[in-house]
Amino acid sequence: RFTRIMLGLAAVGLLAGCETAPPTRVTRFNLGQPIPPAPVAIVPRNPGDADGLAFANTASAVAGELRRLGFTVAAPNDATTPLVAVVGLDQVTRPGPPRGPAFSVGVGGATFGRHAGFGGGVDVPVERPRESYIDSSQLEVQLKRRSDGTVIWEGRARAITDPSSPAGSATALAQRLAGALFKDFPGASGQTIMVK
């Protein structure tokens, strides 16, 4: 019985520690005209980022969404595509709420009568609360006509993540932002939506 009680308390503690990520904030703009799928090259907003890992993760996620929509994704240096997708990712890391101590000691006691019992316990922290951080990330994508440089579609997706969680990894974050950004493409121009 004691084991069952302890397992139940542990489960409650785990559930209490789970956090739901806030939704992704998405805003898009377009010319109010259909955007038929076409070959597109994905390039970084800052040319110096072309060989970086961050751009590779972001470009891969954006490419996956464009392919899902029927676009043909060409090599970044392909100058023959009618469309160019200009991609930029901005991130800011700031302190988050303090976490509980990494290690604590449980102190408990129990008093039992003949037909009834009472038990109690308390956790005594051994270390100070740990520091935590959160990332504020924004993905920006512009679809341009190569012929005249006109931006025919533009979108921004912003999310808050815990960099220490699996959802905060570079790959997971890029997929989350790109998935939200291209949801129901092209979207209502000028309207901000929240995507879970």
Side-chain angles (χ1 to χ4, degrees), residues 69-140:
L69 294 168
F71 290 80
T72 301
V73 179
N77 58 356
D78 187 340
T80 66
T81 60
L83 296 178
V84 178
V86 182
V87 173
L89 179 65
D90 299 306
Q91 288 186 296
V92 176
T93 300
R94 62 178 185 269
R99 301 180 188 275
F103 180 68
S104 62
V105 175
V107 179
T111 303
F112 297 95
R114 183 172 180 179
H115 299 292
F118 173 78
V122 63
D123 283 335
V124 179
V126 177
E127 300 178 4
R128 291 185 177 183
R130 295 170 292 163
E131 293 182 345
S132 70
Y133 297 91
I134 56 174
D135 284 343
S136 177
S137 307
Q138 179 168 285
L139 170 65
E140 294 185 6

Side-chain angles (χ1 to χ4, degrees), residues 168-182:
S169 70
T171 300
L173 176 62
Q175 292 173 347
R176 173 186 172 187
L177 291 171
L181 187 58
F182 288 97

Side-chain angles (χ1 to χ4, degrees), residues 25-37:
R25 184 183 183 91
V26 175
T27 307
R28 289 154 314 180
F29 302 92
N30 59 71
L31 300 178
Q33 301 171 356
I35 305 176

Side-chain angles (χ1 to χ4, degrees), residues 1-29:
R1 183 177 178 182
F2 176 77
T3 301
R4 288 199 300 270
I5 292 173
M6 293 306 294
L7 288 174
L9 292 174
V12 171
L14 287 173
L15 290 174
C18 293
E19 297 180 0
T20 302
T24 302
R25 184 183 183 91
V26 175
T27 307
R28 289 154 314 180
F29 302 92

